[in-house]
Amino acid sequence: MLHCPYCAHETEAGNRVCKKCGRALIQRCVACAEDIPVLMQVCPLCKSPQHVPAPPPAMTPPPPPPALPSAPIGSERNIIATLLLTLITCGIYGLIVRYQLGTEFNAHSRRPGALNPGLDIVLGIITCGLWFFYADYRYAQELKTICEDEQAPVQDVTVACLVLTLFGFGIVSTLILQNEANTHWKRHQPVS
């Protein structure tokens, strides 16, 4: 049994490539073109010096993530507390959270007219909830756009929010949006 000179994995004699790290175990002699073990300084057959390949470059650490722009961040809200308060107040707290999410997204994206949370709530009430289908989709789309603009990881929840609202689970849609917003706000907090 031989050992790979790169990873020290045991290999069988005659193997041309290490099964663990995938590197070549055999090289050609520069003078006689015979197969010799890799990293040999002198050919054992013709005694000619060999060019030994340079060691692999050191692993460079990945570049740091791009600095997030300083923009106002929203409030983190506990999802369980939001659910309980919405149920206790018969949905009124859920409307407050929708409004706050809209204003926070507008302030954070620095596009003040992107969302109109007050009008969305009024239209949602007037249309007996039909407007919330569109509003939930638009809020999720705005959060996705914010993440893309900042080159942050994107969790696209637009379809999930739309489907949940269509099936009468608008509160769950709001909770998903709040959870994604909480995750996004955490990325903007200074690391201590």
Side-chain angles (χ1 to χ4, degrees), residues 24-38:
L25 300 173
I26 304 293
Q27 70 181 7
R28 295 249 176 195
C29 172
V30 295
C32 67
E34 291 294 324
D35 287 342
I36 60 173
V38 72

Side-chain angles (χ1 to χ4, degrees), residues 1-90:
M1 289 295 220
L2 300 173
H3 292 278
C4 172
Y6 298 106
C7 69
H9 183 265
E10 243 181 60
T11 62
E12 295 178 20
N15 280 359
R16 299 185 67 80
V17 176
C18 175
K19 291 182 179 180
K20 183 173 182 184
C21 69
R23 292 187 170 187
L25 300 173
I26 304 293
Q27 70 181 7
R28 295 249 176 195
C29 172
V30 295
C32 67
E34 291 294 324
D35 287 342
I36 60 173
V38 72
L39 300 181
M40 290 289 292
Q41 305 248 349
V42 177
C43 176
L45 305 172
C46 69
K47 308 294 185 216
S48 63
Q50 302 295 306
H51 169 69
V52 179
M59 295 293 291
T60 57
L68 294 173
S70 61
I73 60 172
S75 301
E76 289 186 41
R77 294 176 194 85
N78 185 306
I79 302 303
I80 303 299
T82 302
L83 174 64
L84 292 175
L85 287 171
T86 302
L87 293 174
I88 290 169
T89 62
C90 300

